[in-house]
Amino acid sequence: MALVSADTKIAELLNELHQLIKQTQEERSRSEHNLLNIQKTHERMQTENKTSPYYRTKLRGLYTTAKADAEAECGILRLALDKIAEIKSLLEERRIAARMAGVYSDTDPPRKTMRRGVLMTLLQQSAMTLPLWIGKPGESPPPLCGAIPASSDYVAKQGDKVAARVKAVDGDEQWILAEVVSYNHSTNKYEVDDIDEEGKERHTLSRRRIIPLPQWKANPETDPEALFSKDQLVLALYPQTTCFYRALIHTPPHRPQDDYSVLFEDTSYADGYSPPLNVAQRYVVACKENKKK
């Protein structure tokens, strides 16, 4: 029943999103006429080689209108982004509810039956679809945007992906990519599943052994302070694996769609680090251990 109501709500939100996209296009078409007027006015000023009070007044009015048009379009786009976030949240709730009921889909099969390549593709898609933080002018990026850590009282939700420090079979400890199953407020401990071995072994871990992953990508062009800087020590997901290893930031992202370039600690190389490898913002977190092993 819950799945049906979620489907209905998602359908309603998709319809609302469609209407907002149409409004965006209408707003853009309306503003294009004004932008063309601005361009033509500048061309006339260049032809006449003068800036008269008439042109100054006219341009002031045109630019005021253009600013208002841009703000109106921006407002609609923000509403659309909110709808997308709500849809993604409902899809995640539906996925968790279906999994608890033992119902799986082709896009979310049981990890135990999932081919390695499929899991790697899903992780890549998760990184690509991580939303970009788009704040209002003067607004600071929130916790869990890029390199900004979670607040001290933050509790990861069921279904959230985290870096979890667990004991391996050989007794060594390692950071793995895991999914939160539950959090016990009495014991302050999480139950998490290894993303690579769901259902095989469940880990009960204290808060200090959990690092929530970013929920938004940081935009290097507007919020560079929300990114890890060059030579900063981090934990990064090694490509084609589900384990996090210590690494140095080689190059931060330059554009919103860019990955980090990182140097993983590796004693097989003379300088102790691997060649640069790309890792998505989604899978780079602060390293809790500062000393090099």
Side-chain angles (χ1 to χ4, degrees):
M1 188 70 181
L3 294 180
V4 174
S5 60
D7 285 345
T8 303
K9 181 62 176 173
I10 289 168
E12 290 173 0
L13 287 168
L14 284 170
N15 184 54
E16 290 171 18
L17 178 61
H18 178 66
Q19 295 304 317
L20 286 168
I21 292 170
K22 284 172 64 178
Q23 285 180 41
T24 303
Q25 191 55 52
E26 289 166 4
E27 192 67 45
R28 189 164 296 178
S29 298
R30 189 161 47 245
S31 65
E32 280 175 358
H33 175 71
N34 188 60
L35 293 174
L36 187 61
N37 274 342
I38 291 174
Q39 182 184 340
K40 286 181 177 178
T41 302
H42 277 290
E43 287 172 356
R44 287 195 204 100
M45 288 168 61
Q46 287 178 341
T47 303
E48 297 177 18
N49 199 24
K50 65 177 182 179
T51 308
S52 66
Y54 164 75
Y55 282 132
R56 279 200 297 270
T57 303
K58 183 177 181 181
L59 279 174
R60 190 178 294 115
L62 288 171
Y63 276 113
T64 300
T65 302
K67 183 173 179 288
D69 288 345
E71 287 171 346
E73 185 179 334
C74 184
I76 297 170
L77 287 171
R78 287 188 187 282
L79 287 173
L81 287 172
D82 289 343
K83 295 295 178 190
I84 292 170
E86 200 173 343
I87 291 166
K88 288 182 74 174
S89 178
L90 283 169
L91 287 170
E92 180 65 7
E93 287 176 14
R94 187 176 70 176
R95 181 187 72 84
I96 293 168
R99 180 164 293 178
M100 290 179 70
V103 179
Y104 294 89
S105 66
D106 292 339
T107 56
D108 185 35
R111 301 276 189 256
K112 288 177 285 188
T113 63
M114 190 185 296
R115 295 195 308 277
R116 184 77 179 177
V118 174
L119 176 58
M120 292 301 115
T121 300
L122 288 175
L123 295 183
Q124 188 179 20
Q125 288 174 349
S126 175
M128 290 174 63
T129 57
L130 188 69
L132 180 71
W133 169 255
I134 304 173
K136 296 176 181 177
E139 186 178 8
S140 298
L144 294 179
C145 172
I148 301 176
S151 58
S152 58
D153 59 349
Y154 178 80
V155 174
K157 301 187 300 295
Q158 182 185 32
D160 280 1
K161 306 300 186 293
V162 296
R165 190 176 185 180
V166 301
K167 278 194 175 180
V169 179
D170 58 9
D172 287 344
E173 295 200 331
Q174 61 181 2
W175 287 95
I176 64 166
L177 179 60
E179 181 174 311
V180 173
V181 176
S182 64
Y183 178 75
N184 188 320
H185 288 272
S186 300
T187 61
N188 288 327
K189 289 188 175 182
Y190 285 98
E191 280 198 336
V192 301
D193 280 340
D194 185 337
I195 202 76
D196 202 16
E197 300 180 342
E198 182 192 309
K200 183 176 179 182
E201 185 178 0
R202 185 157 289 176
H203 303 276
T204 302
L205 304 169
S206 62
R207 289 169 64 105
R208 63 186 177 83
R209 288 178 170 267
I210 296 291
I211 305 176
L213 298 190
Q215 294 184 354
W216 296 275
K217 282 186 283 194
N219 188 342
E221 296 165 358
T222 56
D223 303 300
E225 74 284 0
L227 291 164
F228 293 109
S229 53
K230 182 176 172 61
D231 294 330
Q232 194 166 349
L233 182 64
V234 297
L235 288 172
L237 196 71
Y238 197 89
Q240 298 302 307
T241 76
T242 57
C243 290
F244 291 84
Y245 297 98
R246 292 155 58 92
L248 289 180
I249 299 295
H250 178 60
T251 310
H254 293 298
R255 300 170 300 171
Q257 67 270 30
D258 289 347
D259 294 337
Y260 283 100
S261 173
V262 306
L263 309 172
F264 284 98
E265 290 184 358
D266 192 333
T267 54
S268 64
Y269 291 90
D271 62 356
Y273 293 97
S274 71
L277 293 170
N278 286 350
V279 182
Q281 279 197 49
R282 170 75 162 160
Y283 302 122
V284 180
V285 295
C287 184
K288 289 190 173 183
E289 311 145 348
N290 294 321
K291 292 181 181 178
K292 185 175 177 180
K293 294 179 181 176

